[in-house]
Amino acid sequence: MRKENEVMKQILDFANSEDRVRAVMLNGSRVNPNAPKDIMQDYDIVFFITDIEDLSYKIDQSWISAFGELVIMQQNDFEDGAYIFLMQFKDGIRIDLSFQDIRRIEESVREDTLSKILLNKDDIELKLPRPNDSSHYVLKPSKKEFDELLNEAWWIQTYVAKGIWRDELPLAKYMFDVILMDCIRKLLSWYIGENHKWNVNVGKCGKWFKGYLSDEIYNDFISIYPTIDYEEMWQSLFRAGKFIRRIGEPLAEPLGYSYPIKDDINVTEYITKIKELPKDAKEFR
């Protein structure tokens, strides 16, 4: 596996050899002083280029071989004309290399506080703060955002319960694993944000939750993830409700919002009835 200095040299050597590449920026976890360091860290690189309308880098992709042998690559486009190559190499190195218009460099460096300029051929004057993850902090929710999330967290449980009762596993799993768990992760990120005065970055999809929660709360959270066994899914669903209440009620108070206890009680009672409903039931009692 290549060392960091080897990868950075390859990136800068390539940039220096390409006249269209006028500046290079590193961002993401490798700039974040608070991010855990390990061999799986990506290299998030931005090439600021002239003539963004010239698509030669996209049309002829032979240049990629300069960075190693690919496992797989994904290329995506952005609305502003920028584009990115997500490249996983066989030696374990991953480089996410985006190409942006050089005319947007000042705007780009302001968008992400985890940015470091590695190359500036034209000595463009740029004011970058010391790298920090403030632009990735959890944002305090508005009352509307809080109310909508809690409403969704309880509403979607009726879908999960119905899917289990009907033996519609793909539907039940999607509603639980994706929709409901996304709600819980968002709620938990707000809980952590409030406890850290909204100066905290919990990472993509809450990947750093473990470092910000007590062992008890974290273990309670991960116990919610269900299997494909319906009985275990029912137990996980009821644990999810208890967890939402455990996190949502104490969070609502300092925010000055109201926890939807009526929805909590009504939905819990409703899905309990579905669980107890015979599979051949002809009416709901």
Side-chain angles (χ1 to χ4, degrees):
M1 186 177 197
R2 284 166 286 171
K3 303 296 184 182
E4 181 174 353
N5 64 317
E6 295 177 287
V7 177
M8 298 306 296
K9 184 178 185 302
Q10 287 179 315
I11 290 168
L12 291 175
D13 284 350
F14 181 85
N16 277 308
S17 70
E18 294 288 310
D19 188 59
R20 286 181 62 198
V21 179
R22 307 310 302 168
V24 178
M25 181 170 72
L26 172 69
N27 52 28
S29 65
R30 287 187 178 272
V31 187
N32 188 353
N34 299 317
K37 307 299 181 184
D38 60 35
I39 62 171
M40 293 293 179
Q41 279 185 292
D42 304 341
Y43 291 83
D44 296 302
I45 301 292
V46 181
F47 281 177
F48 291 98
I49 64 173
T50 58
D51 303 319
I52 192 70
E53 299 83 6
D54 179 350
L55 302 180
S56 56
Y57 289 119
K58 292 170 64 175
I59 296 170
D60 180 3
Q61 299 178 5
S62 59
W63 58 269
I64 294 175
S65 62
F67 298 102
E69 188 177 357
L70 283 172
V71 174
I72 190 171
M73 183 270 289
Q74 186 177 99
Q75 193 271 306
N76 297 314
D77 300 328
F78 301 105
E79 292 182 359
D80 63 358
Y83 48 93
I84 188 169
F85 289 84
L86 310 175
M87 302 176 290
Q88 179 63 62
F89 296 96
K90 288 188 175 181
D91 67 348
I93 297 296
R94 173 169 163 176
I95 301 175
D96 292 350
L97 177 55
S98 63
F99 292 79
Q100 293 187 19
D101 193 329
I102 186 62
R103 293 169 295 187
R104 291 195 65 248
I105 187 169
E106 292 184 58
E107 180 181 350
S108 293
V109 298
R110 289 195 301 268
E111 289 175 351
D112 191 346
T113 54
L114 290 176
S115 299
K116 180 180 180 182
I117 296 296
L118 304 178
L119 179 66
N120 188 350
K121 293 180 180 178
D122 304 310
D123 294 323
I124 300 171
E125 186 175 348
L126 300 168
K127 295 182 179 179
L128 277 76
R130 184 185 297 274
N132 65 88
D133 54 1
S134 61
S135 61
H136 300 268
Y137 284 170
V138 176
L139 298 179
K140 181 179 179 179
S142 65
K143 184 179 184 302
K144 182 174 183 291
E145 290 172 326
F146 183 83
D147 290 346
E148 288 180 349
L149 183 85
L150 268 297
N151 177 262
E152 178 76 347
W154 285 105
W155 169 259
I156 207 65
Q157 292 184 49
T158 66
Y159 280 86
V160 177
K162 186 188 298 185
I164 297 174
W165 185 80
R166 285 176 168 171
D167 188 19
E168 297 174 341
L169 184 64
L171 173 70
K173 289 287 287 180
Y174 179 82
M175 295 299 173
F176 198 137
D177 297 5
V178 179
I179 309 298
L180 179 57
M181 291 308 300
D182 277 353
C183 289
I184 293 173
R185 279 191 292 269
K186 188 70 173 180
L187 183 66
L188 198 49
S189 71
W190 288 344
Y191 175 83
I192 295 170
E194 172 63 34
N195 288 336
H196 289 79
K197 303 185 184 301
W198 306 101
N199 294 314
V200 63
N201 174 13
V202 296
K204 185 177 182 180
C205 298
K207 63 181 180 180
W208 296 330
F209 278 170
K210 189 174 184 179
Y212 292 110
L213 297 168
S214 67
D215 289 344
E216 180 187 3
I217 292 179
Y218 184 74
N219 289 332
D220 200 7
F221 165 63
I222 61 175
S223 74
I224 297 169
Y225 286 92
T227 66
I228 60 171
D229 179 86
Y230 282 141
E231 183 56 37
E232 291 181 9
M233 286 182 69
W234 276 120
Q235 296 307 315
S236 293
L237 186 59
F238 289 117
R239 281 198 298 271
K242 291 178 181 178
F243 189 77
I244 291 168
R245 186 180 316 120
R246 178 181 186 179
I247 300 300
E249 281 190 316
L251 174 61
E253 184 176 352
L255 291 175
Y257 306 152
S258 298
Y259 176 78
I261 189 63
K262 185 176 179 181
D263 290 345
D264 180 327
I265 294 171
N266 286 344
V267 171
T268 301
E269 291 178 352
Y270 179 77
I271 64 176
T272 299
K273 288 181 180 179
I274 292 180
K275 182 178 186 300
E276 297 170 352
L277 198 65
K279 294 299 181 184
D280 59 351
K282 302 301 181 183
E283 60 180 32
F284 188 85
R285 296 185 180 182

